[in-house]
Structure formats: structure tokens, C-alpha cells
Amino acid sequence: MAAGNRKRMKLTNAALLAGVALHMLAIGMNAPAKAQDAAARIDDLQPNIPADAKLLLTANELVYNRDTEKVTVRGNVQIEYGGYKMVARQVDYDQKSGRILATGDIQLIEPGGNIVYADRMDVTDDFGNGFVQALRIETTDLTRLAAETGERRNGEEFILNKAVYTACTPCNTKPEHRSLWHIKAQRIIQNGRTRTIRLEHAYFELFGKPIAYIPVMEIPDHTVKRKSGFLFPQFRYTQKLGAGVGVPYYWAISPHMDATITGTGLTRQGFLLEGEFRQQFHNGLHTLNVAGISQLDREQFTPGTVDALETNRGMIASRGKFEINPRWSFGWNVLVQSDNNFAKTYDLSTFDGTTYVNQAYLTGLGKRNYFDLRAFYFDIQDADPDSIDENKQPVAQVLDYSYTAPEPILGGELNADFNLTNIKRNRLDRVNVLGVERFRGLEGTSHRLTGELEWKRTFIAPGGLVLRPLLAARGDALGMNVDDPVGYTGNFTSSDAETRRMLTAGLEARYPILFAGETSTHVLEPIGQLYARPDEQYAGGLPNEDAQSFVFDATNLFDRDKFSGYDRIEGGTRANIGLRYTGSFDSGYGLRAIAGQSFQLGGLNSFATDDLVKAGADSGLETDSSDYVAMLGIDAPSGLMASLSGRLDESDFSLRRADATVGYLGLNWQAALTYTRIEAQPTYGSPFDQDEIQTAAAYRFHEYWSVFGAVTYDIDAGVVSRNGLGITYDDQDTLFSIVYKQERDTDSSLANDWSIGARISFRTLGDVYVGDTKFDELDYF
């Protein structure tokens, strides 16, 4: 080992910096394949080394020839300087010519972790020109670049000859892995002055076969963050639109403003034009979307639908989200379209749902309080040209505010909640199901202001008994200018203004009992609740907008107010009694269960009163003794899980509602089977039993290949309502997926009964889509 002549320290610096130059040369060539991420700046040639960095040189031999002014270090040469590490068999420095020559198994590790390999390197000591042979680079983001030779000219150009680029994530653990795709180019040139990267005679290869030839392509390097140009084409195929190819063009308008314009040719419907304009502000983002088409073949759609009747169709949408400060934000979503079904028919991203919620909002979130103000308008997308469903939807403004006192009040927690709701509806929303009238919304305007205080405290008595007293007070002020629901059998109040109140005193008792065995622990917890309160005022006699959906099960057995919104209030004296169990086994198995019943002890049963939407009818709570509700869950260490929940009739234990799921989550297999049964609830508007089976499975039959499928079967109708099948390849660098989906069109709201979607994605390059590859039935895996 030798430390070398300190007068010749320039040698070691030059040798080290030569290695750094090699690194910069190689990494600069990485940019074409990565499109913008890895190129090195031409005007920043020197490595970022601290001024006080120590240099360590080790070698078997160091020779200085005074006559020729050449310095040679050879034999296991290792140089460490400022975080850089270089290894070579030999390094020669010619002080007269100012050239550095490194040879033999050169390896450079930069501080960031990238590794550069080469067989021979010849550069000037000012790094203005250089030449490298057998160049190979492995980056920290698991991409690889190789070239026969690399050259730097005039201090501003990097040139790679016969270069190959690929991404290889599996290579990190499996060096023998070979990526499915490569980019090969005769020459790759990066120009530091123009900040561009030029590919000449490039091929994109998949499975070792060239599938695309690019004679010449010039793209910006990483210093150019945004540049106008064409993006990857988009493909699609659906039953009634036909095959389509979309060509997106990205337009960088300014540093804070850009747009994407996409023209898509559809074989059956013509040319679809889409545009998305984005403007970034210092505190938020605004996005404007437009789309339009003149349909060529309307007869492809179901006769009589809006899709078949309209020729010129379009939409415009605006979205904004802004941060006022770290706690306050506001924004909006607005969609306007020429007909009720355009965005859904053409699968326009984020706008293709059955219901689109137009809204504007202001939200504030503090440590112990919450504020939310929203205005809503609902777009209903369906294919019925005579549909009035959208006119039945409310225009609503809703204010919510919640506050929790920072300090205990009388030793307990005090919460305050406020809600202000204003609703205007242009048309009566009324449905008749087998003679049962349900008024889901009244024509006119209604207002409601609600304020509620709740105080609760927890006591733990000797022996482990947990007691939680509760006091709550609520008041409502209502203003109504709505048409009377003609035909309603309840006592609807026709007053323009009303007030109501509710006082509640409650007590909850829990007594957890622990049983511990040699291999398991069990907790059995009896729970009892008692809520004393007066009757609900105007029960069923006021508009019900936000408490229409109601399901009684084990999840809400112990809720103080089981209604889902503010418009209804649970009244009368009620007791909830149940038992909760949790078991844990050393083998990894887990059990959980809950079962119980609710009792109306006195006063008016709110669930037994008539309601505009029959919210409490057939719920299991309309009798003094409710139906029994229970839930059981099992988790196994093998990945198997099962759950069962249900509601049993309180008189004869007949099954009123059930949900059963069995699933398995393993390394190669994923599967789930769900059975749902809902007994007919004629008064609630569901006249028939509903029995449905959903199945989904995925199987990885090879290290990177998997298949998946799902089926939804309507037992009562005897039909498959939805089904799909797909296959995927994913090695982390290359993802390929193709999906077939079919949905039975029972209401003529779907323009396409089936569709095929595909996606191919190359890491660091981009994605190519053909249609929609989402497979929602597998979301619960």
C-alpha cells in the first residue's frame, strides 16, 4: 500500500475525478430512456465534494516517471474521496498531455448509490473530452444502461454508441432475470447547450423482438420539466362505440398552466375530442374539462334511448381545490352536459358514474372542532330521454359544525354539534311500489337548524364494572314551504314553521370478564344501555331528506339514535342489551362475536310510526321487542377468514336478513364468496326477497402471471347480473392486463353491455391503455 507523493496529489485527484467524469458521462446517457429523470447537467461537471474531504488511495504499486512526467498506480487500485469510491486495475496520468487513462474492471460507486462499470476510460483532465469502452450503469432506481462506447465532445455533448436501456427491478434479488423489454439505439446524444436528447435509429424490443422503430426522436432532458408534445396513444374497444385510438397532445402553456388535448377516432361513432386545461396557483389547482362528438351511427344504441336520439353531444366540467391556510380549504366540482348520459356512455374519466355530485365547499379542521359548508346539485346519468329523475333531486346547502370542549366538564366530555340544511326541489319525488306510496322528496323549499349538546363520563367501579352516564339535549327549528304529500297516510304537518326538542338521559353498563387459558384468552362483555326520553315530536309528520336509508344490524345495536340523519329523532324509552365476545388463540386464530336485542320500554316507538319514506317499516325495530341481531367473525393464520351477520325474527327466529362471507388470502390464491339475503320489506318499498351470490377469485399460476374473475348471480331472477374475467403479467417493470366485463342491462341506462380493456405499462416509460381495466368486483382483496 502507498500513500503517494503529496506533490503529486493532483494525480489522485485527477484519477478520482476521472472516475466521476465517467459517472457523469454514463448517467447523462441514461436520460433518453428515462425521458427526463437521470441526465446530468453539462454545466455542472465537477462532483459535489466538500472542501475538507479526505482522500484515501490504496494500490499495490505507485510509480512516478520524472522524465515522462507520468504517474501510474496499479494493482487493486482503490480511491475514496468525498463519498465517491473507484476501483480499477490501473490508472495512468500524463501531466504533459493532460490525459487520464483508467483500465481493467473499472467500477465507480457514487454517493447516491449508482454504480458505473467500464473496461477502459480515457479523458482529459479538464473533462472537456473523453472516451469510454464497454460502459454499463446500474442506478438506484433499478434501471440499467449499457453501451459499447461512450464519448464526450467539446464539453457539451455526451454520445453513447450502440446503447441498450431497460428497467430491471427483479434483478436486485435475481441477477439472472431478463427484462421483457429493451430500448436499443445506434446513437444517443445529449446536448448540454440545447438541453435536448436525441435518439437515432432506435428500436423498442418486446420479448426480444423489435416492435417499434424510431428513426430519429428528440426530447428534452431532465432540466426541462415540461415541454409540449404528443403522448402515448390511448386505445379502447366497447360494444357500441367500436374500436378507438386516441392521440393526446400535451401543451405546456406557461410554468403554471398546461393542457392535454386528445382526439379519439371511434369506428362506429366518429371523432371524439377531449380537452383538459390545468392552472396551478400558489395555493391550489383549477381543472377545466371539455369533450364533444357528432355521432355517426346512432342505431348502434338501444332504440328510444337518449344515446340513440342525440347526434351532437358534449360536456364541460370545472374542478377546483384551494388551501386558504393549513386548516381551511375550499373547492368545487361542476358538470354540465348536453344530455343525461353523454359522459357515462363514452366512459369519460371521473365523470362516468350514474350520479355526479356537483358541489362547492368550504372546510375547516381544528384540533377540537370541525366546520363544513357545502352546496349540492345532483346529475343523474341515464339513457331515458323522458327521465325526470334529475328534476326530482334536491338543490341543497348544508352546514355542519362540531366542537369538543378542551377541558373536562364535571369530569366528562362535552360535545356540541350543529347542522343547517336548506333544500329546494322542483318536482315531487314519489314512488309507488305495489300500492305503497313513498315520498322521497316534496316539491318546494324546507329549512332545518339543529343544535345538540352531549355530555358523557366514564366510571370504573370496583370489580371492573364500567358505567357511562350520558345527558343530551337537542333542539330544531324548521321552516317549510312545500306541497302537502297528497295520499300520505301519516299526520303530515302543514305548518310553515315548527320547533321540536329532545332531551335524553342515558346509562351504559359494561362488565368485561377475562378468561385466560394456557393457549388462549377470551373476553366476554355483557352490555346494557338505557335511554330515557320523551316521544319524538311530529313523528313522521315532517320532511325526511337525510334519514331515509335504514338497516338494523349488530353494528348500530348500541347507537343512541339509530336513524342515519337529522330529520328523524329516535324517541321514547329504549333499552339495548347484548353480549360481545373476543377470543385470541396462540395458534393465530381469532374470534369475534356480538349479539343482542333492543326493547321499546315506554313512549312512542319512532320506528313504528308512519313515515314519508317508511324508514322504520319492516326494520326489525317496529315492535316493542326488536328482532335479534348477531355477528360472528373468524380469522385464521392461514389467510382464511369468515364472517356471518344476520337478523332473526323476534317471535319465530325466521331469517329476515343475512350476510355471509368466506374468503382466503394466500400467496398464490385469493378467493371470496359472499351470500346476501334480504327478506321482502313491502312497506319499505322492497316487495320481493333479494338473494344474491358474489364470487371472486385470483390465482397466480406463475411467478409473474395471474388470472382473476368474478361473477354476481341473482338467485331470485335466475340470471348472472355481472361477470368478468382477466389475466395479468406483472414483474414490477412490465405490467400487462386484459379484462373482459359484462353487466346485464336491466334498466336501459347502460350504453355498453360489455367491454374489453387492456393495459400495458413499462416502468420509467409510461402506460398504454385500451379501454377500462378496472375490475371493481375484486376490490375487497
Side-chain angles (χ1 to χ4, degrees):
M1 304 293 178
N5 187 340
R6 294 188 179 275
K7 293 181 179 180
R8 301 304 178 188
M9 189 61 71
K10 185 179 179 182
L11 160 70
T12 53
N13 287 341
L16 185 278
L17 294 180
V20 174
L22 167 65
H23 155 70
M24 295 170 63
L25 172 67
I27 294 302
M29 293 306 100
N30 199 12
K34 299 187 65 177
Q36 292 181 16
D37 296 332
R41 288 181 60 99
I42 301 297
D43 56 355
D44 186 16
L45 301 177
Q46 300 296 330
N48 185 17
I49 299 176
D52 59 348
K54 307 272 185 204
L55 183 145
L56 175 64
L57 168 67
T58 62
N60 293 338
E61 182 181 6
L62 186 149
V63 177
Y64 175 59
N65 190 321
R66 293 179 181 273
D67 297 332
T68 61
E69 296 187 27
K70 289 184 179 180
V71 183
T72 300
V73 288
R74 63 169 65 95
N76 222 5
V77 179
Q78 298 182 40
I79 303 173
E80 296 186 24
Y81 186 51
Y84 291 86
K85 298 179 181 180
M86 179 182 174
V87 175
R89 290 186 179 180
Q90 180 170 314
V91 177
D92 297 292
Y93 176 51
D94 189 331
Q95 289 181 292
K96 290 182 178 179
S97 65
R99 297 195 71 88
I100 301 168
L101 176 65
T103 56
D105 299 328
I106 302 169
Q107 177 178 315
L108 173 71
I109 303 176
E110 65 156 345
N114 291 338
I115 305 175
V116 182
Y117 302 92
D119 286 345
R120 179 182 176 86
M121 176 187 65
D122 185 354
V123 296
T124 59
D125 58 7
D126 65 354
F127 313 117
N129 296 276
F131 184 82
V132 184
Q133 288 183 338
L135 174 67
R136 183 165 59 90
I137 305 167
E138 296 178 3
T139 66
T140 55
D141 65 350
L142 303 178
T143 60
R144 295 188 173 191
L145 177 69
E148 288 190 2
T149 59
E151 185 178 0
R152 182 166 174 212
R153 295 178 181 174
N154 306 321
E156 67 177 24
E157 283 189 345
F158 284 136
I159 302 172
L160 283 183
N161 298 304
K162 296 184 178 180
V164 180
Y165 168 83
T166 190
C168 194
T169 302
C171 296
N172 191 39
T173 56
K174 299 180 179 180
E176 72 280 1
H177 178 81
R178 294 296 176 265
S179 179
L180 294 185
W181 60 269
H182 302 82
I183 293 179
K184 293 183 178 180
Q186 192 71 25
R187 287 211 316 170
I188 301 175
I189 305 170
Q190 181 185 18
N191 190 304
R193 179 175 50 81
T194 61
R195 297 188 178 182
T196 59
I197 298 167
R198 179 183 175 91
L199 285 78
E200 297 179 352
H201 301 292
Y203 289 88
F204 181 84
E205 294 188 356
L206 186 63
F207 298 105
K209 303 296 182 181
I211 63 171
Y213 170 65
I214 307 172
V216 177
M217 182 173 69
E218 190 169 271
I219 60 176
D221 69 12
H222 81 296
T223 63
V224 181
K225 300 302 182 182
R226 301 156 64 248
K227 186 175 179 64
S228 300
F230 289 97
L231 306 178
F232 275 104
Q234 301 172 351
F235 304 90
R236 62 163 67 182
Y237 185 82
T238 54
Q239 180 188 10
K240 297 174 182 178
L241 305 181
V245 179
V247 180
Y249 180 82
Y250 176 76
W251 181 18
I253 304 172
S254 74
H256 308 292
M257 190 184 307
D258 61 16
T260 303
I261 303 169
T262 305
T264 303
L266 299 166
T267 57
R268 293 179 179 172
Q269 299 304 332
F271 183 74
L272 173 68
L273 182 64
E274 300 174 74
E276 182 173 283
F277 168 83
R278 297 166 293 269
Q279 184 170 10
Q280 183 74 52
F281 298 87
H282 72 281
N283 64 337
L285 174 69
H286 171 238
T287 304
L288 180 69
N289 292 83
V290 295
I293 191 172
S294 180
Q295 297 186 146
L296 293 181
D297 190 0
R298 297 178 300 168
E299 294 181 358
Q300 290 290 335
F301 299 105
T302 303
T305 63
V306 67
D307 300 298
L309 296 175
E310 298 291 334
T311 299
N312 298 316
R313 311 178 71 182
M315 56 83 62
I316 182 170
S318 173
R319 290 172 294 169
K321 184 176 182 180
F322 296 86
E323 302 291 335
I324 302 174
N325 56 42
R327 293 189 176 184
W328 287 89
S329 64
F330 75 96
W332 66 86
N333 305 303
V334 178
L335 169 66
V336 178
Q337 52 184 340
S338 59
D339 57 74
N340 291 343
N341 213 39
F342 170 64
K344 185 177 181 181
T345 298
Y346 285 87
D347 293 327
L348 302 183
S349 178
T350 73
F351 305 105
D352 56 354
T354 300
T355 302
Y356 184 84
V357 181
N358 297 272
Q359 62 174 318
Y361 62 89
L362 173 65
T363 300
L365 179 63
K367 292 183 178 180
R368 305 186 68 85
N369 58 350
Y370 173 74
F371 175 94
D372 188 87
L373 174 64
R374 293 177 185 265
F376 296 96
Y377 177 81
F378 302 93
D379 270 323
I380 306 299
Q381 301 202 70
D382 56 43
D384 183 0
D386 300 320
S387 174
I388 58 174
D389 286 347
E390 188 167 309
N391 292 330
K392 294 179 180 180
Q393 300 303 308
V395 177
Q397 299 85 40
V398 180
L399 168 64
D400 283 294
Y401 179 76
S402 178
Y403 175 78
T404 300
E407 300 294 335
I409 306 296
L410 299 177
E413 182 181 81
L414 181 66
N415 295 287
D417 292 290
F418 300 92
N419 176 266
L420 174 63
T421 299
N422 176 64
I423 290 178
K424 177 177 175 58
R425 182 178 276 100
N426 294 326
R427 188 182 293 267
L428 174 68
D429 187 1
R430 173 179 179 174
V431 294
N432 185 302
V433 180
L434 298 182
V436 178
E437 297 281 359
R438 300 179 71 234
F439 298 84
R440 297 183 298 190
L442 304 179
E443 184 176 350
T445 304
S446 62
H447 323 273
R448 177 183 43 75
L449 174 63
T450 298
E452 184 173 37
L453 292 174
E454 181 188 72
W455 174 89
K456 56 187 176 184
R457 183 177 178 181
T458 300
F459 297 91
I460 300 178
L465 178 66
V466 180
L467 298 174
R468 179 175 293 173
L470 176 146
L471 296 173
R474 168 177 165 170
D476 298 274
L478 300 100
M480 295 169 289
N481 182 17
V482 295
D483 293 346
D484 290 342
V486 178
Y488 177 49
T489 56
N491 296 317
F492 184 78
T493 178
S494 57
S495 174
D496 292 340
E498 292 290 353
T499 59
R500 63 178 178 180
R501 63 188 181 277
M502 178 61 68
L503 301 174
T504 303
L507 178 65
E508 178 182 272
R510 301 170 181 258
Y511 191 68
I513 305 170
L514 174 65
F515 301 91
E518 292 184 359
T519 60
S520 63
T521 58
H522 309 267
V523 177
L524 195 64
E525 186 179 27
I527 303 173
Q529 294 176 326
L530 179 65
Y531 295 111
R533 53 203 166 194
D535 294 343
E536 178 187 7
Q537 295 178 293
Y538 309 108
L542 298 172
N544 180 3
E545 294 282 354
D546 67 355
Q548 297 184 4
S549 174
F550 185 77
V551 175
F552 175 50
D553 58 22
T555 62
N556 58 8
L557 170 63
F558 297 110
D559 287 355
R560 171 168 63 89
D561 189 335
K562 296 178 176 59
F563 283 113
S564 57
Y566 286 100
D567 285 337
R568 292 296 307 270
I569 308 175
E570 184 178 343
T573 300
R574 179 172 289 275
N576 303 313
I577 297 176
L579 187 66
R580 177 177 290 147
Y581 164 77
T582 304
S584 178
F585 299 83
D586 292 348
S587 60
Y589 283 86
L591 294 176
R592 59 191 186 280
I594 187 171
Q597 192 177 15
S598 185
F599 301 90
Q600 185 75 22
L601 302 181
L604 178 67
N605 186 346
S606 296
F607 303 101
T609 59
D610 201 358
D611 181 273
L612 286 166
V613 294
K614 317 300 181 187
D618 304 319
S619 65
L621 286 166
E622 69 275 13
T623 55
D624 289 344
S625 298
S626 78
D627 288 347
Y628 299 95
V629 291
M631 184 276 295
L632 171 66
I634 303 174
D635 298 302
S638 62
L640 185 68
M641 58 80 61
S643 64
L644 173 65
S645 62
R647 177 162 63 90
L648 304 175
D649 188 271
E650 53 92 16
S651 59
D652 59 8
F653 292 96
S654 59
L655 186 64
R656 304 287 294 275
R657 185 185 182 100
D659 292 280
T661 298
V662 178
Y664 174 75
L665 183 62
L667 294 177
N668 296 321
W669 270 102
Q670 299 176 16
L673 172 67
T674 299
Y675 168 73
T676 301
R677 171 177 172 75
I678 305 174
E679 190 180 67
Q681 298 173 271
T683 309
Y684 187 56
S686 179
F688 307 107
D689 291 348
Q690 301 177 53
D691 296 89
E692 185 178 82
I693 294 178
Q694 297 183 36
T695 63
Y699 173 57
R700 189 173 68 175
F701 61 88
H702 186 270
E703 186 174 15
Y704 304 122
W705 288 93
S706 61
V707 293
F708 48 91
V711 175
T712 299
Y713 180 70
D714 188 329
I715 298 176
D716 300 304
V719 297
V720 175
S721 56
R722 289 179 297 173
N723 64 282
L725 182 68
I727 185 169
T728 292
Y729 173 89
D730 186 2
D731 66 3
Q732 301 180 66
D733 292 323
T734 306
L735 185 149
F736 170 76
S737 180
I738 183 168
V739 174
Y740 167 83
K741 295 189 296 184
Q742 183 179 27
E743 186 166 354
R744 185 179 178 85
D745 187 3
T746 57
D747 57 2
S748 298
S749 64
L750 299 174
N752 302 291
D753 300 325
W754 59 266
S755 64
I756 296 176
R759 174 192 176 191
I760 186 166
S761 174
F762 305 108
R763 187 171 72 89
T764 75
L765 297 182
D767 299 339
V768 178
Y769 289 90
V770 179
D772 183 10
T773 58
K774 292 183 296 183
F775 208 70
D776 299 335
E777 290 82 352
L778 293 173
D779 282 348
Y780 47 81
F781 280 147

